[in-house]
């Protein structure tokens, strides 16, 4: 993972250390994940056997003119009181602030102990905002070893454009070797992506963050309605630990949390910022090559990630804190908690099928009319994304002799739907022909009304 330190007119910085301009001398900045002794002026009382050491994040403002003395012993003033920042209150105060203002506040507050997490997608906007503040900033990225060639070329372009060095964090070679030797190169298609992401992304990130007091991400509320709709501007990281260690030792900044994706792209174009060439090929959310594909009309942007899994799995673990424990029932489709979600596909042109209704429909060999049925869960963001097109389909087919219906297939009905109705992930669309008992599963990912209409017209 690479950190880059830049000033408003900085030169490129190479190697694992970064240098930062100072009024009196150059200060070497340690790489992410390294241990640093803070510089202090203090008097050590050798007559005492013990001394209390103040936490790293409580240190007084660093004097940049002094080099850290790695071989020296220093002790801070024990009697000094530490003020605890109320980041929840700060998030409220910054809720209407611009991304530039938020970025400036983050860099001002944490200096060398904060870094931008860069994925190689539209979060390049974070680097542009950091540059516009005129403050030094650092950038890191996770190289999983499975990224697209276009993403690697984009990293190089970003480094040259901003005159920075990104410090890349790599997965542990022994762990990757063990995973691939035991389960193969593409095991995530069979048993889920979490294990691979844990080895290639989560653990390297954990090592990186142990060298920081704060980090900056490109999370937006509109990216994933199921998991990111409540992302705050700033928060105490609920999952990872920072330099000091322990709960509450790391702060997480999300400067573009309240910004729509459209506005991000307008900003990138206005500032002539370089972008990943994959975006012009239909990719919106960009991750590893085997687990990322372009999105199609009617699909949510996160549906281009891990498309073979249910919506509950659309986080890789880097932002696991977004998955709230009290919302687990809604996310995994089990338990009565799912009932708290407002139902979708609400239209007089749609038939709502009960469990008995869908069972009867599936058993019939000669139906009076053909049916198209969506198997859905109201909490699923991908079901929500296709609601408009499916309702429009129902209105188009009204009076045509084709029945349009919905069946809620999560919770206690999920096992039945998987076994009897070909449910793989939400949403699943089935066509029940007039003179055939077997339902036909809609195989395309295109869920716009024209594509759905073409599917019906070809079969009825």
């Amino acid at each position: 993972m690479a950190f880059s330190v830049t000033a408003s007119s900085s030169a490129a910085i190479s190697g694992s250390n970064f240098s930062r301009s100072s009024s009196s001398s150059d200060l070497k900045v340690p790489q992410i994940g390294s241990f640093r002794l803070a510089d202090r002026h203090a008097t050590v009382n050798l007559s005492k056997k013990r001394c209390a050491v103040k936490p790293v994040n409580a240190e007084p403002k660093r004097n940049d003119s002094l080099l850290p003395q790695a071989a020296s012993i220093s002790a801070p003033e024990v009697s000094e009181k530490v003020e605890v920042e109320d980041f929840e209150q700060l998030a409220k105060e910054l809720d209407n602030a611009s991304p530039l203002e938020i970025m400036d506040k983050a860099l001002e507050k944490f200096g060398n102990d904060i870094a931008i997490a860069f994925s190689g997608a539209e979060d390049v906007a974070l680097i542009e905002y950091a540059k516009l503040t005129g403050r030094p900033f650092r950038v890191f990225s996770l190289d999983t070893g499975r990224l697209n060639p276009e993403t690697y070329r984009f990293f190089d372009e970003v480094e040259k454009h901003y005159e920075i060095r990104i410090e890349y964090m790599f997965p542990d070679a022994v762990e990757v070797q063990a995973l691939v030797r035991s389960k193969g190169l593409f095991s995530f298609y069979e048993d889920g992506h979490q294990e691979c992401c844990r080895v290639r992304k989560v653990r390297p990130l954990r090592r990186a963050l142990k060298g920081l007091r704060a980090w900056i991400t490109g999370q937006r509320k509109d990216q994933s309605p199921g998991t990111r709709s409540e992302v705050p501007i700033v928060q105490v990281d609920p999952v990872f630990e920072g330099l000091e260690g322990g709960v509450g030792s790391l702060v997480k900044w999300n400067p573009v949390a309240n910004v729509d994706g459209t506005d991000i792209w307008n900003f990138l174009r206005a500032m002539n910022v370089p972008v990943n060439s994959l975006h012009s090929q239909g990719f919106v959310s960009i991750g590893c090559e085997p687990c990322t594909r372009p999105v199609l009309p009617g699909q949510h942007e996160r549906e281009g990630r891990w498309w073979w899994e249910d919506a509950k799995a659309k986080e890789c673990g880097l932002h696991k804190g977004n998955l709230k424990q009290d919302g687990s029932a809604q996310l995994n489709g089990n338990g009565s908690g799912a009932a708290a979600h407002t139902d979708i596909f609400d239209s007089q042109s749609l038939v709502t099928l009960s469990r008995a209704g869908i069972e009867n429909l599936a058993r019939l060999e000669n139906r009076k009319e053909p049916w198209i049925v969506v198997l859905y869960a109201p909490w699923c963001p991908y079901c929500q994304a296709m609601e408009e097109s499916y309702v429009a389909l129902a209105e188009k087919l009204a009076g045509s002799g084709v029945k349009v219906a919905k069946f809620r297939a999560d919770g206690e009905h999920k096992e039945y739907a998987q076994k009897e109705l070909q449910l793989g992930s939400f949403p699943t669309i089935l066509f029940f022909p007039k003179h055939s008992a077997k339902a036909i599963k809609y195989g395309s990912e295109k869920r716009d009304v024209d594509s759905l209409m073409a599917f019906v017209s070809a079969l009825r």
Side-chain angles (χ1 to χ4, degrees), residues 30-38 56-57 59 62 112-113 206 208-214 240-246 249-251:
Q31 67 181 41
I32 288 185
S34 66
F35 178 75
R36 180 180 70 245
L37 286 179
V56 173
N57 65 358
E59 66 188 29
R62 180 180 290 109
N112 292 324
D113 293 331
R206 192 178 299 278
L209 297 179
K210 285 293 289 182
L212 297 171
R213 290 172 56 209
F240 296 102
E241 296 180 4
L243 187 62
E244 182 190 352
S249 60
L250 186 70
V251 176

PDB file of all heavy atoms in Angstrom, residues 30-38 56-57 59 62 112-113 206 208-214 240-246 249-251:
ATOM      1  N   PRO A  30       7.503   7.595   8.550  1.00  0.00           N
ATOM      2  CA  PRO A  30       7.518   6.138   8.442  1.00  0.00           C
ATOM      3  C   PRO A  30       6.391   5.642   7.551  1.00  0.00           C
ATOM      4  O   PRO A  30       5.365   6.275   7.429  1.00  0.00           O
ATOM      5  CB  PRO A  30       7.316   5.683   9.888  1.00  0.00           C
ATOM      6  CG  PRO A  30       6.586   6.815  10.521  1.00  0.00           C
ATOM      7  CD  PRO A  30       7.087   8.056   9.863  1.00  0.00           C
ATOM      8  N   GLN A  31       6.594   4.475   6.963  1.00  0.00           N
ATOM      9  CA  GLN A  31       5.553   3.908   6.111  1.00  0.00           C
ATOM     10  C   GLN A  31       4.419   3.370   6.958  1.00  0.00           C
ATOM     11  O   GLN A  31       4.553   3.135   8.141  1.00  0.00           O
ATOM     12  CB  GLN A  31       6.139   2.810   5.236  1.00  0.00           C
ATOM     13  CG  GLN A  31       6.581   1.587   6.035  1.00  0.00           C
ATOM     14  CD  GLN A  31       7.182   0.546   5.127  1.00  0.00           C
ATOM     15  OE1 GLN A  31       7.924   0.894   4.234  1.00  0.00           O
ATOM     16  NE2 GLN A  31       6.866  -0.698   5.340  1.00  0.00           N
ATOM     17  N   ILE A  32       3.296   3.118   6.316  1.00  0.00           N
ATOM     18  CA  ILE A  32       2.134   2.576   7.012  1.00  0.00           C
ATOM     19  C   ILE A  32       2.499   1.233   7.599  1.00  0.00           C
ATOM     20  O   ILE A  32       3.141   0.420   6.982  1.00  0.00           O
ATOM     21  CB  ILE A  32       0.976   2.409   6.045  1.00  0.00           C
ATOM     22  CG1 ILE A  32       0.440   3.751   5.686  1.00  0.00           C
ATOM     23  CG2 ILE A  32      -0.111   1.552   6.609  1.00  0.00           C
ATOM     24  CD1 ILE A  32      -0.740   3.739   4.855  1.00  0.00           C
ATOM     25  N   GLY A  33       2.012   0.993   8.771  1.00  0.00           N
ATOM     26  CA  GLY A  33       2.252  -0.286   9.400  1.00  0.00           C
ATOM     27  C   GLY A  33       3.528  -0.320  10.227  1.00  0.00           C
ATOM     28  O   GLY A  33       3.810  -1.281  10.907  1.00  0.00           O
ATOM     29  N   SER A  34       4.346   0.732  10.184  1.00  0.00           N
ATOM     30  CA  SER A  34       5.585   0.743  10.951  1.00  0.00           C
ATOM     31  C   SER A  34       5.350   1.357  12.314  1.00  0.00           C
ATOM     32  O   SER A  34       4.370   2.053  12.541  1.00  0.00           O
ATOM     33  CB  SER A  34       6.664   1.528  10.197  1.00  0.00           C
ATOM     34  OG  SER A  34       6.305   2.877  10.122  1.00  0.00           O
ATOM     35  N   PHE A  35       6.302   1.111  13.245  1.00  0.00           N
ATOM     36  CA  PHE A  35       6.186   1.676  14.583  1.00  0.00           C
ATOM     37  C   PHE A  35       7.006   2.940  14.671  1.00  0.00           C
ATOM     38  O   PHE A  35       8.099   3.011  14.124  1.00  0.00           O
ATOM     39  CB  PHE A  35       6.667   0.660  15.618  1.00  0.00           C
ATOM     40  CG  PHE A  35       6.631   1.182  17.026  1.00  0.00           C
ATOM     41  CD1 PHE A  35       5.432   1.295  17.684  1.00  0.00           C
ATOM     42  CD2 PHE A  35       7.782   1.587  17.654  1.00  0.00           C
ATOM     43  CE1 PHE A  35       5.387   1.789  18.976  1.00  0.00           C
ATOM     44  CE2 PHE A  35       7.741   2.082  18.936  1.00  0.00           C
ATOM     45  CZ  PHE A  35       6.540   2.174  19.597  1.00  0.00           C
ATOM     46  N   ARG A  36       6.473   3.952  15.355  1.00  0.00           N
ATOM     47  CA  ARG A  36       7.171   5.216  15.438  1.00  0.00           C
ATOM     48  C   ARG A  36       7.204   5.695  16.884  1.00  0.00           C
ATOM     49  O   ARG A  36       6.188   5.637  17.577  1.00  0.00           O
ATOM     50  CB  ARG A  36       6.454   6.264  14.577  1.00  0.00           C
ATOM     51  CG  ARG A  36       7.125   7.587  14.635  1.00  0.00           C
ATOM     52  CD  ARG A  36       6.378   8.596  13.775  1.00  0.00           C
ATOM     53  NE  ARG A  36       5.111   8.925  14.374  1.00  0.00           N
ATOM     54  CZ  ARG A  36       3.960   8.633  13.825  1.00  0.00           C
ATOM     55  NH1 ARG A  36       3.911   8.031  12.680  1.00  0.00           N
ATOM     56  NH2 ARG A  36       2.836   8.951  14.407  1.00  0.00           N
ATOM     57  N   LEU A  37       8.340   6.172  17.317  1.00  0.00           N
ATOM     58  CA  LEU A  37       8.419   6.826  18.620  1.00  0.00           C
ATOM     59  C   LEU A  37       8.189   8.309  18.414  1.00  0.00           C
ATOM     60  O   LEU A  37       8.881   8.943  17.620  1.00  0.00           O
ATOM     61  CB  LEU A  37       9.795   6.603  19.249  1.00  0.00           C
ATOM     62  CG  LEU A  37      10.057   5.180  19.815  1.00  0.00           C
ATOM     63  CD1 LEU A  37      11.456   5.129  20.378  1.00  0.00           C
ATOM     64  CD2 LEU A  37       9.032   4.808  20.856  1.00  0.00           C
ATOM     65  N   ALA A  38       7.229   8.874  19.094  1.00  0.00           N
ATOM     66  CA  ALA A  38       6.948  10.297  18.936  1.00  0.00           C
ATOM     67  C   ALA A  38       8.050  11.106  19.600  1.00  0.00           C
ATOM     68  O   ALA A  38       8.591  10.738  20.634  1.00  0.00           O
ATOM     69  CB  ALA A  38       5.605  10.620  19.565  1.00  0.00           C
ATOM     70  N   VAL A  56      -0.506   7.519  22.326  1.00  0.00           N
ATOM     71  CA  VAL A  56       0.036   8.209  21.161  1.00  0.00           C
ATOM     72  C   VAL A  56      -0.904   9.290  20.660  1.00  0.00           C
ATOM     73  O   VAL A  56      -0.491  10.377  20.299  1.00  0.00           O
ATOM     74  CB  VAL A  56       0.313   7.183  20.033  1.00  0.00           C
ATOM     75  CG1 VAL A  56       0.716   7.901  18.754  1.00  0.00           C
ATOM     76  CG2 VAL A  56       1.422   6.240  20.467  1.00  0.00           C
ATOM     77  N   ASN A  57      -2.204   8.986  20.633  1.00  0.00           N
ATOM     78  CA  ASN A  57      -3.122   9.969  20.067  1.00  0.00           C
ATOM     79  C   ASN A  57      -3.437  11.108  21.022  1.00  0.00           C
ATOM     80  O   ASN A  57      -4.259  11.947  20.730  1.00  0.00           O
ATOM     81  CB  ASN A  57      -4.420   9.301  19.606  1.00  0.00           C
ATOM     82  CG  ASN A  57      -5.212   8.722  20.767  1.00  0.00           C
ATOM     83  OD1 ASN A  57      -4.782   8.783  21.910  1.00  0.00           O
ATOM     84  ND2 ASN A  57      -6.360   8.145  20.457  1.00  0.00           N
ATOM     85  N   GLU A  59      -0.745  12.873  22.243  1.00  0.00           N
ATOM     86  CA  GLU A  59       0.483  13.642  22.296  1.00  0.00           C
ATOM     87  C   GLU A  59       0.257  15.095  21.915  1.00  0.00           C
ATOM     88  O   GLU A  59      -0.644  15.407  21.140  1.00  0.00           O
ATOM     89  CB  GLU A  59       1.528  13.016  21.353  1.00  0.00           C
ATOM     90  CG  GLU A  59       1.149  13.112  19.890  1.00  0.00           C
ATOM     91  CD  GLU A  59       2.100  12.314  19.010  1.00  0.00           C
ATOM     92  OE1 GLU A  59       2.649  11.327  19.496  1.00  0.00           O
ATOM     93  OE2 GLU A  59       2.287  12.705  17.855  1.00  0.00           O
ATOM     94  N   ARG A  62       3.227  17.910  17.277  1.00  0.00           N
ATOM     95  CA  ARG A  62       4.603  17.579  16.960  1.00  0.00           C
ATOM     96  C   ARG A  62       5.392  18.790  16.489  1.00  0.00           C
ATOM     97  O   ARG A  62       4.903  19.596  15.714  1.00  0.00           O
ATOM     98  CB  ARG A  62       4.613  16.502  15.866  1.00  0.00           C
ATOM     99  CG  ARG A  62       5.996  16.078  15.448  1.00  0.00           C
ATOM    100  CD  ARG A  62       5.926  15.020  14.359  1.00  0.00           C
ATOM    101  NE  ARG A  62       5.422  13.780  14.897  1.00  0.00           N
ATOM    102  CZ  ARG A  62       4.211  13.310  14.616  1.00  0.00           C
ATOM    103  NH1 ARG A  62       3.409  13.971  13.844  1.00  0.00           N
ATOM    104  NH2 ARG A  62       3.813  12.165  15.122  1.00  0.00           N
ATOM    105  N   ASN A 112       0.317  13.775   9.552  1.00  0.00           N
ATOM    106  CA  ASN A 112       1.005  12.612   8.978  1.00  0.00           C
ATOM    107  C   ASN A 112       0.378  11.286   9.386  1.00  0.00           C
ATOM    108  O   ASN A 112       0.754  10.233   8.862  1.00  0.00           O
ATOM    109  CB  ASN A 112       2.465  12.595   9.402  1.00  0.00           C
ATOM    110  CG  ASN A 112       3.245  13.729   8.792  1.00  0.00           C
ATOM    111  OD1 ASN A 112       3.016  14.118   7.653  1.00  0.00           O
ATOM    112  ND2 ASN A 112       4.163  14.294   9.569  1.00  0.00           N
ATOM    113  N   ASP A 113      -0.536  11.304  10.333  1.00  0.00           N
ATOM    114  CA  ASP A 113      -1.105  10.069  10.852  1.00  0.00           C
ATOM    115  C   ASP A 113      -2.422   9.686  10.185  1.00  0.00           C
ATOM    116  O   ASP A 113      -3.176   8.876  10.718  1.00  0.00           O
ATOM    117  CB  ASP A 113      -1.334  10.193  12.371  1.00  0.00           C
ATOM    118  CG  ASP A 113      -0.015  10.300  13.123  1.00  0.00           C
ATOM    119  OD1 ASP A 113       0.987   9.751  12.631  1.00  0.00           O
ATOM    120  OD2 ASP A 113       0.015  10.927  14.199  1.00  0.00           O
ATOM    121  N   ARG A 206      -5.568  -4.308   7.560  1.00  0.00           N
ATOM    122  CA  ARG A 206      -5.395  -4.259   9.008  1.00  0.00           C
ATOM    123  C   ARG A 206      -3.955  -3.880   9.366  1.00  0.00           C
ATOM    124  O   ARG A 206      -3.717  -3.084  10.277  1.00  0.00           O
ATOM    125  CB  ARG A 206      -5.762  -5.622   9.608  1.00  0.00           C
ATOM    126  CG  ARG A 206      -5.899  -5.619  11.130  1.00  0.00           C
ATOM    127  CD  ARG A 206      -6.316  -6.986  11.641  1.00  0.00           C
ATOM    128  NE  ARG A 206      -7.590  -7.404  11.109  1.00  0.00           N
ATOM    129  CZ  ARG A 206      -8.767  -7.038  11.578  1.00  0.00           C
ATOM    130  NH1 ARG A 206      -8.832  -6.207  12.601  1.00  0.00           N
ATOM    131  NH2 ARG A 206      -9.885  -7.492  11.030  1.00  0.00           N
ATOM    132  N   ALA A 208      -1.912  -2.150   7.501  1.00  0.00           N
ATOM    133  CA  ALA A 208      -1.692  -0.755   7.116  1.00  0.00           C
ATOM    134  C   ALA A 208      -2.236   0.206   8.161  1.00  0.00           C
ATOM    135  O   ALA A 208      -1.577   1.178   8.539  1.00  0.00           O
ATOM    136  CB  ALA A 208      -2.341  -0.481   5.767  1.00  0.00           C
ATOM    137  N   LEU A 209      -3.438  -0.070   8.627  1.00  0.00           N
ATOM    138  CA  LEU A 209      -4.096   0.849   9.554  1.00  0.00           C
ATOM    139  C   LEU A 209      -3.436   0.873  10.925  1.00  0.00           C
ATOM    140  O   LEU A 209      -3.607   1.837  11.675  1.00  0.00           O
ATOM    141  CB  LEU A 209      -5.579   0.482   9.679  1.00  0.00           C
ATOM    142  CG  LEU A 209      -6.396   0.620   8.385  1.00  0.00           C
ATOM    143  CD1 LEU A 209      -7.848   0.197   8.613  1.00  0.00           C
ATOM    144  CD2 LEU A 209      -6.337   2.031   7.831  1.00  0.00           C
ATOM    145  N   LYS A 210      -2.688  -0.170  11.271  1.00  0.00           N
ATOM    146  CA  LYS A 210      -1.987  -0.176  12.556  1.00  0.00           C
ATOM    147  C   LYS A 210      -0.897   0.889  12.615  1.00  0.00           C
ATOM    148  O   LYS A 210      -0.375   1.183  13.690  1.00  0.00           O
ATOM    149  CB  LYS A 210      -1.362  -1.560  12.798  1.00  0.00           C
ATOM    150  CG  LYS A 210      -2.369  -2.618  13.197  1.00  0.00           C
ATOM    151  CD  LYS A 210      -2.988  -2.375  14.552  1.00  0.00           C
ATOM    152  CE  LYS A 210      -1.983  -2.607  15.663  1.00  0.00           C
ATOM    153  NZ  LYS A 210      -2.620  -2.414  17.000  1.00  0.00           N
ATOM    154  N   GLY A 211      -0.550   1.485  11.470  1.00  0.00           N
ATOM    155  CA  GLY A 211       0.429   2.560  11.462  1.00  0.00           C
ATOM    156  C   GLY A 211      -0.194   3.939  11.368  1.00  0.00           C
ATOM    157  O   GLY A 211       0.510   4.922  11.147  1.00  0.00           O
ATOM    158  N   LEU A 212      -1.525   4.026  11.537  1.00  0.00           N
ATOM    159  CA  LEU A 212      -2.241   5.291  11.381  1.00  0.00           C
ATOM    160  C   LEU A 212      -3.120   5.585  12.584  1.00  0.00           C
ATOM    161  O   LEU A 212      -3.443   4.688  13.376  1.00  0.00           O
ATOM    162  CB  LEU A 212      -3.121   5.245  10.126  1.00  0.00           C
ATOM    163  CG  LEU A 212      -2.428   5.080   8.779  1.00  0.00           C
ATOM    164  CD1 LEU A 212      -3.457   4.836   7.691  1.00  0.00           C
ATOM    165  CD2 LEU A 212      -1.595   6.313   8.467  1.00  0.00           C
ATOM    166  N   ARG A 213      -3.527   6.827  12.687  1.00  0.00           N
ATOM    167  CA  ARG A 213      -4.551   7.205  13.667  1.00  0.00           C
ATOM    168  C   ARG A 213      -5.884   7.476  13.000  1.00  0.00           C
ATOM    169  O   ARG A 213      -6.917   7.554  13.666  1.00  0.00           O
ATOM    170  CB  ARG A 213      -4.097   8.449  14.439  1.00  0.00           C
ATOM    171  CG  ARG A 213      -2.925   8.187  15.390  1.00  0.00           C
ATOM    172  CD  ARG A 213      -2.392   9.471  15.968  1.00  0.00           C
ATOM    173  NE  ARG A 213      -3.435  10.227  16.627  1.00  0.00           N
ATOM    174  CZ  ARG A 213      -3.445  11.562  16.726  1.00  0.00           C
ATOM    175  NH1 ARG A 213      -2.481  12.267  16.168  1.00  0.00           N
ATOM    176  NH2 ARG A 213      -4.414  12.165  17.345  1.00  0.00           N
ATOM    177  N   ALA A 214      -5.883   7.616  11.662  1.00  0.00           N
ATOM    178  CA  ALA A 214      -7.128   7.871  10.928  1.00  0.00           C
ATOM    179  C   ALA A 214      -6.925   7.492   9.463  1.00  0.00           C
ATOM    180  O   ALA A 214      -5.794   7.464   8.973  1.00  0.00           O
ATOM    181  CB  ALA A 214      -7.546   9.338  11.047  1.00  0.00           C
ATOM    182  N   PHE A 240     -11.556  -1.762  12.828  1.00  0.00           N
ATOM    183  CA  PHE A 240     -10.097  -1.822  12.806  1.00  0.00           C
ATOM    184  C   PHE A 240      -9.469  -1.000  13.929  1.00  0.00           C
ATOM    185  O   PHE A 240     -10.093  -0.096  14.474  1.00  0.00           O
ATOM    186  CB  PHE A 240      -9.572  -1.335  11.449  1.00  0.00           C
ATOM    187  CG  PHE A 240      -9.986  -2.213  10.309  1.00  0.00           C
ATOM    188  CD1 PHE A 240     -11.030  -1.846   9.466  1.00  0.00           C
ATOM    189  CD2 PHE A 240      -9.346  -3.419  10.068  1.00  0.00           C
ATOM    190  CE1 PHE A 240     -11.422  -2.651   8.411  1.00  0.00           C
ATOM    191  CE2 PHE A 240      -9.725  -4.239   9.023  1.00  0.00           C
ATOM    192  CZ  PHE A 240     -10.763  -3.857   8.184  1.00  0.00           C
ATOM    193  N   GLU A 241      -8.212  -1.329  14.230  1.00  0.00           N
ATOM    194  CA  GLU A 241      -7.446  -0.617  15.248  1.00  0.00           C
ATOM    195  C   GLU A 241      -6.375   0.244  14.594  1.00  0.00           C
ATOM    196  O   GLU A 241      -5.878  -0.075  13.520  1.00  0.00           O
ATOM    197  CB  GLU A 241      -6.774  -1.615  16.204  1.00  0.00           C
ATOM    198  CG  GLU A 241      -7.756  -2.451  17.001  1.00  0.00           C
ATOM    199  CD  GLU A 241      -7.051  -3.418  17.936  1.00  0.00           C
ATOM    200  OE1 GLU A 241      -5.790  -3.367  17.999  1.00  0.00           O
ATOM    201  OE2 GLU A 241      -7.730  -4.208  18.603  1.00  0.00           O
ATOM    202  N   GLY A 242      -6.027   1.324  15.276  1.00  0.00           N
ATOM    203  CA  GLY A 242      -5.009   2.226  14.777  1.00  0.00           C
ATOM    204  C   GLY A 242      -3.689   2.082  15.496  1.00  0.00           C
ATOM    205  O   GLY A 242      -3.415   1.062  16.139  1.00  0.00           O
ATOM    206  N   LEU A 243      -2.879   3.111  15.409  1.00  0.00           N
ATOM    207  CA  LEU A 243      -1.505   3.109  15.912  1.00  0.00           C
ATOM    208  C   LEU A 243      -1.412   2.783  17.397  1.00  0.00           C
ATOM    209  O   LEU A 243      -0.553   2.027  17.830  1.00  0.00           O
ATOM    210  CB  LEU A 243      -0.878   4.480  15.637  1.00  0.00           C
ATOM    211  CG  LEU A 243       0.598   4.650  15.935  1.00  0.00           C
ATOM    212  CD1 LEU A 243       1.426   3.717  15.073  1.00  0.00           C
ATOM    213  CD2 LEU A 243       1.015   6.096  15.689  1.00  0.00           C
ATOM    214  N   GLU A 244      -2.302   3.345  18.180  1.00  0.00           N
ATOM    215  CA  GLU A 244      -2.261   3.130  19.630  1.00  0.00           C
ATOM    216  C   GLU A 244      -2.739   1.733  20.007  1.00  0.00           C
ATOM    217  O   GLU A 244      -2.315   1.168  21.006  1.00  0.00           O
ATOM    218  CB  GLU A 244      -3.128   4.172  20.325  1.00  0.00           C
ATOM    219  CG  GLU A 244      -3.105   4.056  21.838  1.00  0.00           C
ATOM    220  CD  GLU A 244      -4.150   4.941  22.485  1.00  0.00           C
ATOM    221  OE1 GLU A 244      -4.771   5.747  21.778  1.00  0.00           O
ATOM    222  OE2 GLU A 244      -4.342   4.797  23.703  1.00  0.00           O
ATOM    223  N   GLY A 245      -3.622   1.159  19.205  1.00  0.00           N
ATOM    224  CA  GLY A 245      -4.162  -0.159  19.498  1.00  0.00           C
ATOM    225  C   GLY A 245      -5.381  -0.092  20.391  1.00  0.00           C
ATOM    226  O   GLY A 245      -5.569   0.847  21.165  1.00  0.00           O
ATOM    227  N   GLY A 246      -6.251  -1.063  20.260  1.00  0.00           N
ATOM    228  CA  GLY A 246      -7.443  -1.121  21.090  1.00  0.00           C
ATOM    229  C   GLY A 246      -8.642  -0.443  20.448  1.00  0.00           C
ATOM    230  O   GLY A 246      -8.532   0.251  19.430  1.00  0.00           O
ATOM    231  N   SER A 249      -9.138   3.406  18.696  1.00  0.00           N
ATOM    232  CA  SER A 249      -7.822   3.975  18.380  1.00  0.00           C
ATOM    233  C   SER A 249      -7.701   4.432  16.933  1.00  0.00           C
ATOM    234  O   SER A 249      -6.646   4.920  16.531  1.00  0.00           O
ATOM    235  CB  SER A 249      -6.729   2.943  18.674  1.00  0.00           C
ATOM    236  OG  SER A 249      -6.913   1.766  17.892  1.00  0.00           O
ATOM    237  N   LEU A 250      -8.762   4.274  16.138  1.00  0.00           N
ATOM    238  CA  LEU A 250      -8.712   4.648  14.723  1.00  0.00           C
ATOM    239  C   LEU A 250      -9.969   5.431  14.353  1.00  0.00           C
ATOM    240  O   LEU A 250     -11.083   5.051  14.727  1.00  0.00           O
ATOM    241  CB  LEU A 250      -8.612   3.393  13.852  1.00  0.00           C
ATOM    242  CG  LEU A 250      -8.414   3.620  12.354  1.00  0.00           C
ATOM    243  CD1 LEU A 250      -7.020   4.166  12.075  1.00  0.00           C
ATOM    244  CD2 LEU A 250      -8.645   2.324  11.579  1.00  0.00           C
ATOM    245  N   VAL A 251      -9.789   6.514  13.605  1.00  0.00           N
ATOM    246  CA  VAL A 251     -10.910   7.340  13.152  1.00  0.00           C
ATOM    247  C   VAL A 251     -11.047   7.172  11.640  1.00  0.00           C
ATOM    248  O   VAL A 251     -10.061   7.118  10.918  1.00  0.00           O
ATOM    249  CB  VAL A 251     -10.690   8.820  13.503  1.00  0.00           C
ATOM    250  CG1 VAL A 251     -11.820   9.693  12.953  1.00  0.00           C
ATOM    251  CG2 VAL A 251     -10.586   8.975  15.019  1.00  0.00           C
TER     252      VAL A 251
END
